[in-house]
Amino acid sequence: MNHHDTGVFGELDLRMMRRALALAQGALYRTSPNPRVGCVLVRHGQVLAEGATEQAGGRHAEIVALDGARARGIDPRGATAYVSLEPCSHHGRTPPCADALVAAGVARVVAAARDPNPLVDGGGLQRLREAGVDVACGLLENESRELNLGFFSRIERHRPWLRLKVASSLDGVTALPNGASQWITGLAARADAHHWRARACAVLTGIGTVRDDDPSLNVRHVATTRQPWCVVVDSRLELSPRARLLQHGQAQRVLVAHALDETLARQRGAALLDLGARLLAIPAAPDRPGKVDLHALMHELAARHIGELHAEAGARLNASLLGAGVVDELLLYQAPLLLGQGAGIGPFGPLQQVDQGLRLHRVQVEPIGADFRWRARLAGA
């Protein structure tokens, strides 16, 4: 539910909420599975302190800001707190931020968006109001939601926000007939792609890609304090224990989604379990016997607090994801190169009419080195 009290906001409010959102943006790579949140404490137009959410289990943005004020000997009594998401009202790994703001004597709280978490969902704002705090919500709400697409998606839709990353030639070839695909795009595009990988809760791939390319699927070109989970769609549990993504203690961040019965899964997955990987038993797709049901997989990942999902797979899994309608966003790196024959981006279909195609909207195109990055949403996202 969205509440827009936009009439109560002035120019200072707008400026300070933009600052809170910039702080939240600075926490992009570290907060998963928690939302990225920024907080600015202001009194008489002066910034007293500010903060952003720490790594999961650490302090929330409001507490970082309050602690910062106190560390400088500033009493935050009577201040306005600008927060890019409703302060929490429940005991999780940290105490409720709404209570901390009340205890600090903050006079006004401006939140960009309500927290959709059923444990909060207006409860934080209500607690503040009941304590006599002046509360307003809805300032730059869309910007707050955009920054936390995965968080809102897993709670409101019970599935992750799925971004499909593809690298192709100008004529849409992602791999040559012999399987060669390294490297279609240049170093700048590959480094840029690591930023998207770093901000995700998990990276999704298929057993075919692991077998053909043996990728690490970790973040290397971006300074980050956490590595995303790695989810492998592997219906028959064929993942080799020697795969690169399972080495160097990385297996504990790997989830292997299969469609086998429990006994067979225990046999085939024994070596993976020994390494520390986790097996996810997913029902088979009704229309694709023996194959993981992708809708059920999305539901299971959301239940495991995976909100922002970044897919880097081959044409077959790409086609299945697109065909199943679970892709929200396309991230396409395109090189000024013609490769002729080869695998496409995701050959779903065949379609009978052009208007059955997947129409993209909110299209953004940017040059990245010698290549171009297309970012676009699919219908309904």
Side-chain angles (χ1 to χ4, degrees):
M1 189 190 304
N2 298 335
H3 282 245
H4 301 272
D5 304 331
T6 47
V8 301
F9 303 124
E11 189 275 331
L12 177 68
D13 293 334
L14 196 59
R15 196 153 40 88
M16 293 305 162
M17 188 59 81
R18 285 205 176 109
R19 177 61 192 155
L21 285 161
L23 290 163
Q25 179 81 31
L28 196 63
Y29 304 141
R30 70 168 179 254
T31 68
S32 174
N34 292 337
R36 300 114 184 177
V37 182
C39 176
V40 184
L41 292 174
V42 180
R43 189 168 53 211
H44 307 311
Q46 298 295 310
V47 173
L48 306 181
E50 56 187 31
T53 311
E54 295 180 335
Q55 203 159 344
R59 295 175 300 170
H60 289 188
E62 300 92 323
I63 308 304
V64 176
L66 289 170
D67 287 352
R70 292 186 187 113
R72 293 166 58 196
I74 296 170
D75 185 343
R77 200 175 308 279
T80 294
Y82 294 90
V83 195
S84 61
L85 190 69
E86 173 185 1
C88 63
S89 56
H90 66 294
H91 282 270
R93 287 196 255 188
T94 57
C97 293
D99 290 357
L101 291 167
V102 169
V106 167
R108 180 174 179 238
V109 171
V110 180
R114 278 173 69 142
D115 186 335
N117 185 338
L119 295 170
V120 185
D121 194 20
L125 301 179
Q126 185 61 28
R127 187 169 296 194
L128 290 164
R129 283 193 185 100
E130 287 169 356
V133 177
D134 180 15
V135 173
C137 185
L139 178 61
L140 301 181
E141 177 176 3
N142 288 341
E143 288 82 347
S144 175
R145 291 179 70 93
E146 283 292 310
L147 196 55
N148 294 298
L149 283 168
F151 177 73
F152 281 93
S153 179
R154 75 171 171 83
I155 291 172
E156 294 176 345
R157 306 190 303 169
H158 307 292
R159 63 178 239 217
W161 178 270
L162 177 53
R163 182 182 300 113
L164 180 62
K165 178 258 176 180
V166 185
S168 85
S169 62
L170 198 58
D171 50 352
V173 173
T174 58
L176 297 177
N178 66 3
S181 63
Q182 296 179 323
W183 295 99
I184 292 173
T185 52
L187 193 58
R190 297 203 295 279
D192 183 77
H194 274 251
H195 287 272
W196 298 92
R197 206 184 263 188
R199 62 175 283 172
C201 300
V203 177
L204 176 74
T205 196
I207 183 60
T209 298
V210 177
R211 213 165 24 216
D212 296 346
D213 299 343
D214 197 19
S216 300
L217 291 179
N218 57 3
V219 178
R220 297 183 298 280
H221 296 289
V222 179
T224 180
T225 53
R226 53 166 282 278
Q227 289 289 342
W229 288 90
C230 180
V231 182
V232 183
V233 179
D234 183 13
S235 297
R236 295 189 294 272
L237 275 183
E238 297 167 323
L239 180 61
S240 166
R242 292 181 297 282
R244 191 176 291 165
L245 56 81
L246 294 166
Q247 307 311 311
H248 311 299
Q250 294 294 306
Q252 285 154 349
R253 67 182 182 92
V254 176
L255 303 170
V256 189
H258 66 88
L260 301 177
D261 66 61
E262 195 178 335
T263 307
L264 194 51
R266 267 205 307 270
Q267 291 170 0
R268 288 202 188 168
L272 302 177
L273 290 168
D274 286 346
L275 286 169
R278 304 179 195 197
L279 306 185
L280 298 185
I282 306 293
D287 56 338
R288 298 165 71 238
K291 296 287 189 184
V292 163
D293 183 324
L294 294 173
H295 289 278
L297 174 60
M298 294 302 130
H299 192 80
E300 175 64 25
L301 294 179
R304 288 171 176 262
H305 290 190
I306 289 173
E308 198 167 320
L309 185 59
H310 180 83
E312 295 196 27
R316 283 195 304 277
L317 181 54
N318 286 353
S320 299
L321 293 166
L322 289 164
V326 295
V327 178
D328 295 298
E329 188 173 5
L330 179 67
L331 196 67
L332 170 62
Y333 294 88
Q334 211 162 32
L337 170 72
L338 300 175
L339 290 176
Q341 295 182 18
I345 289 170
F348 60 93
L351 306 178
Q352 303 306 312
Q353 296 166 225
V354 170
D355 64 9
Q356 293 176 329
L358 300 177
R359 180 71 62 185
L360 302 173
H361 64 110
R362 294 178 67 166
V363 180
Q364 300 170 348
V365 189
E366 278 187 49
I368 307 285
D371 306 311
F372 286 89
R373 184 188 72 203
W374 294 71
R375 185 184 179 200
R377 301 232 173 131
L378 279 88

